[in-house]
Amino acid sequence: MAGDQGAKVNRPTQYSKDVNDSTARITSNCGAKQTNTDHRLRVASDDKTGPSLLNDPFRREIHHINYERILERVVHARGNATFGKFKLFDSAEDVSSADVLTNTSREPAVSLRFSTALGSRGSADIVRNVRGFAIKFYTQESAIKFPDVIRVGKPVPYNEAPQAQTVHKNFWYIQYMMQGFGERHLVKFIFTSELAKIPISIATTFGMAIENRAYRKWKFRIQPEELVPITIRYIGELQLSRNPDEYFTEVEQVAFCRNFSYFDTQISRLGTNWQELLINKLVCPVINHNWDGAMRHTITNGTVNYWLNKFKAKVAGMKVRMKSKFKEHIDQAQLFYNSLSPPEQAHVVAARSFEFGHCDDPIVYNRLCERFSEIDFGMSQQTEAMPKQPTIATHCVAITIADGYDSIAYNGVKAVLTAAGALPFTIGPRRSPIFAEGESRSDSKGVCKAFDHPKAIGATGEDVTFVRDARQLPGVAFSNSGEVVDSYRVVAASHIRSESFKVTVKMTNGAKGFN
């Protein structure tokens, strides 16, 4: 994909419309203006109103709803997208000739789609599922087993279950048979989040973070795969800073392509001219001899529609159906597993144990046990991988208040959370405004709650008594002094001290301050 950053990061106003524009007239798809959508073209006389007419262009608009759906993605149907830019800090010219990986003066725009892998478009995005993401770089440059791997991740044919999981024998059987990579020179791209974790709900938490200007960033690293122990070079940064304006046009229609199966998918979902949709359109010059097809936008000038093939290389040989020349199935998987850190190995073991443990076919189970032992006989022990610097940035934090709340404590907590990049939300007993102690209803708008939030609770001063009595939480200890008590994620400070509201935020057990 090609072009400068502004061409894709900034909203393309020439192709957009604002339905909230009070100065605009409502029109049909053909541009015919009308005062409202309540009046229809009818047969009428002075005293009677007759039937509606089918040649009313506005009545025809209702037919559009019958064609608003397109085929969902077979894989990665449930997802959301965001937009941003990529910045290269250090040239990778020793392993790449691509300008986007060697020219540090450029900041190409990117669109990035997060998704689950196996669920349908209507499935939840918080279920245990393979997570995926695809990145489209708008730059100035323009496997045969894969379908089987994807198909066995889908529900088994005879009962359409399980949904959005790989906890069944079909999946694990092909894992036993699947070949690895041949002898190649590979460079792995690694995007490492600068925050502690990816939000669970990709459709809500991630979008709220960007709306509050808590932009997510990833360090971009490259790792030559043949180097063991791992040598990783930090050469760039990916930042996401804009949410989509409309889900369908910018998320559902965005297309990512790898080799031919992905191209075939886009043709099936979006049509042969899918690359001419705004979200997929290249902004670099495109010239070839592809013509016509549904929804064609490009007008091609010229008198020829063919290419002289005198430079085309000729491939000669016997047409034979055969296996790959690659026969070694163990070393690549073993090298990869041994290159992981202990926490990463533990996560692999935990995930494999959960899903493979549901396999009830003895043939598959025995074969996979043999295969795992060939890779590493001592796969065991799971530990938690913590970030280098724990942070509260982009975490949602609920602040519970009621009438007569302490405005100093409320504003102090909200300010320090916002400054730390967190997303504070006010929770109260009702939707109508809530007023602080001494606050007049006549000259103040009060504070309105955001929504109910059954997560961790923080309480100060009289709110400690409120939480203790109103919530009725058995076994929870509460503060009755100036000391901060953390019990079952209920953080309380009964007597407020200035030192409890420090500017810094520590996300760790045993932290002294309330914040």
Side-chain angles (χ1 to χ4, degrees):
M1 310 299 292
D4 62 293
Q5 179 188 332
K8 288 294 180 178
V9 173
N10 298 329
R11 292 168 173 81
T13 55
Q14 68 271 31
Y15 294 105
S16 64
K17 58 185 177 183
D18 183 2
V19 296
N20 297 317
D21 185 356
S22 60
T23 64
R25 286 278 300 275
I26 190 166
T27 73
S28 69
N29 279 341
C30 298
K33 294 180 180 179
Q34 185 163 312
T35 303
N36 58 62
T37 58
D38 298 327
H39 298 165
R40 298 298 182 186
L41 194 63
R42 302 174 184 272
V43 176
S45 63
D46 293 338
D47 58 342
K48 294 181 180 179
T49 300
S52 299
L53 299 178
L54 288 178
N55 62 341
D56 183 352
F58 283 86
R59 179 54 63 92
R60 292 281 299 175
E61 297 292 312
I62 199 172
H63 289 200
H64 187 276
I65 200 171
N66 297 330
Y67 304 97
E68 286 180 354
R69 297 294 178 266
I70 62 174
L71 293 174
E72 70 174 31
R73 291 171 171 84
V74 176
V75 189
H76 305 294
R78 176 71 170 112
N80 212 324
T82 50
F83 308 91
K85 64 180 180 180
F86 175 76
K87 174 63 177 174
L88 185 71
F89 298 138
D90 182 30
S91 173
E93 58 187 6
D94 57 319
V95 293
S96 175
S97 59
D99 194 63
V100 70
L101 295 178
T102 58
N103 187 346
T104 58
S105 65
R106 298 170 56 188
E107 291 188 8
V110 298
S111 59
L112 189 148
R113 185 177 185 272
F114 290 99
S115 68
T116 59
L118 302 178
S120 60
R121 184 184 172 188
S123 61
D125 64 357
I126 58 174
V127 296
R128 187 182 186 279
N129 194 345
V130 179
R131 302 287 162 162
F133 68 92
I135 305 176
K136 185 190 290 286
F137 283 80
Y138 298 94
T139 71
Q140 295 179 1
E141 297 79 23
S142 55
I144 198 60
K145 291 288 184 183
F146 177 74
D148 289 336
V149 175
I150 294 303
R151 189 167 290 113
V152 297
K154 293 289 183 177
V156 292
Y158 60 84
N159 65 356
E160 196 65 16
Q163 176 67 253
Q165 299 182 56
T166 54
V167 190
H168 52 80
K169 56 181 176 286
N170 283 3
F171 174 83
W172 286 102
Y173 186 72
I174 203 170
Q175 297 305 316
Y176 171 81
M177 299 177 60
M178 188 175 65
Q179 295 184 357
F181 292 100
E183 184 178 352
R184 302 283 181 93
H185 178 74
L186 300 175
V187 175
K188 181 183 293 185
F189 292 171
I190 302 174
F191 290 92
T192 305
S193 174
E194 293 188 357
L195 299 177
K197 65 177 182 178
I198 298 296
I200 294 177
S201 176
I202 55 180
T204 54
T205 310
F206 198 98
M208 286 190 297
I210 291 180
E211 288 176 4
N212 286 270
R213 304 182 69 84
Y215 301 146
R216 280 208 166 258
K217 294 183 179 180
W218 282 259
K219 290 183 177 179
F220 176 67
R221 295 175 166 90
I222 58 172
Q223 173 202 348
E225 187 71 14
E226 71 274 6
L227 297 181
V228 179
I230 298 176
T231 300
I232 300 179
R233 293 161 49 188
Y234 167 42
I235 66 169
E237 178 182 86
L238 174 69
Q239 175 180 291
L240 301 180
S241 56
R242 180 174 78 83
N243 289 321
D245 289 325
E246 183 185 1
Y247 183 88
F248 183 82
T249 52
E250 295 189 278
V251 179
E252 190 63 23
Q253 289 192 143
V254 68
F256 301 89
C257 282
R258 271 193 333 225
N259 301 331
F260 96 27
S261 83
Y262 276 71
F263 279 99
D264 194 55
T265 295
Q266 309 311 339
I267 292 173
S268 174
R269 295 184 65 243
L270 306 172
T272 188
N273 288 309
W274 59 269
Q275 286 177 308
E276 299 204 359
L277 293 171
L278 180 61
I279 191 64
N280 300 319
K281 190 174 181 60
L282 284 73
V283 291
C284 66
V286 176
I287 183 66
N288 55 44
H289 296 285
N290 293 331
W291 294 61
D292 302 342
M295 306 305 293
R296 178 72 170 180
H297 297 168
T298 300
I299 299 173
T300 305
N301 296 321
T303 58
V304 296
N305 60 354
Y306 59 91
W307 173 252
L308 298 176
N309 287 321
K310 63 181 180 180
F311 299 110
K312 184 177 179 180
K314 184 178 181 180
V315 177
M318 298 295 293
K319 183 164 63 176
V320 180
R321 188 180 297 278
M322 57 186 296
K323 287 185 178 181
S324 166
K325 294 182 179 179
F326 182 66
K327 299 295 191 297
E328 208 296 308
H329 307 284
I330 306 301
D331 283 356
Q332 191 270 339
Q334 193 173 67
L335 285 171
F336 171 74
Y337 183 78
N338 290 338
S339 71
L340 299 177
S341 65
E344 291 172 326
Q345 290 181 344
H347 288 311
V348 169
V349 173
R352 187 263 310 162
S353 299
F354 173 82
E355 296 194 354
F356 180 54
H358 290 72
C359 179
D360 58 359
D361 189 317
I363 296 177
V364 177
Y365 188 86
N366 291 334
R367 286 184 174 179
L368 263 295
C369 286
E370 294 174 1
R371 180 70 78 237
F372 289 143
S373 66
E374 292 172 338
I375 296 172
D376 188 281
F377 187 73
M379 286 185 177
S380 62
Q381 298 182 339
Q382 181 178 11
T383 58
E384 183 65 26
M386 292 298 294
K388 186 175 181 180
Q389 178 60 48
T391 174
I392 199 173
T394 74
H395 284 260
C396 294
V397 180
I399 305 176
T400 304
I401 62 173
D403 283 324
Y405 70 91
D406 186 330
S407 62
I408 295 177
Y410 170 77
N411 292 323
V413 170
K414 187 174 181 181
V416 74
L417 289 172
T418 303
L423 308 175
F425 292 92
T426 303
I427 310 301
R430 62 179 185 272
R431 285 288 182 186
S432 56
I434 302 166
F435 297 91
E437 182 180 8
E439 190 176 21
S440 172
R441 296 174 181 264
S442 61
D443 58 6
S444 173
K445 295 181 179 179
V447 174
C448 293
K449 78 169 187 175
F451 46 75
D452 296 326
H453 199 281
K455 294 293 183 74
I457 298 174
T460 62
E462 295 178 350
D463 282 336
V464 176
T465 304
F466 165 71
V467 172
R468 182 189 64 201
D469 296 341
R471 302 306 192 206
Q472 294 294 312
L473 301 172
V476 178
F478 290 86
S479 168
N480 57 10
S481 66
E483 296 301 318
V484 178
V485 175
D486 182 354
S487 177
Y488 291 94
R489 305 301 299 172
V490 176
V491 183
S494 182
H495 297 172
I496 300 175
R497 296 176 175 176
S498 60
E499 58 266 28
S500 296
F501 303 102
K502 296 179 179 179
V503 176
T504 57
V505 174
K506 285 190 176 180
M507 222 177 145
T508 178
N509 289 332
K512 301 291 186 183
F514 180 82
N515 286 327

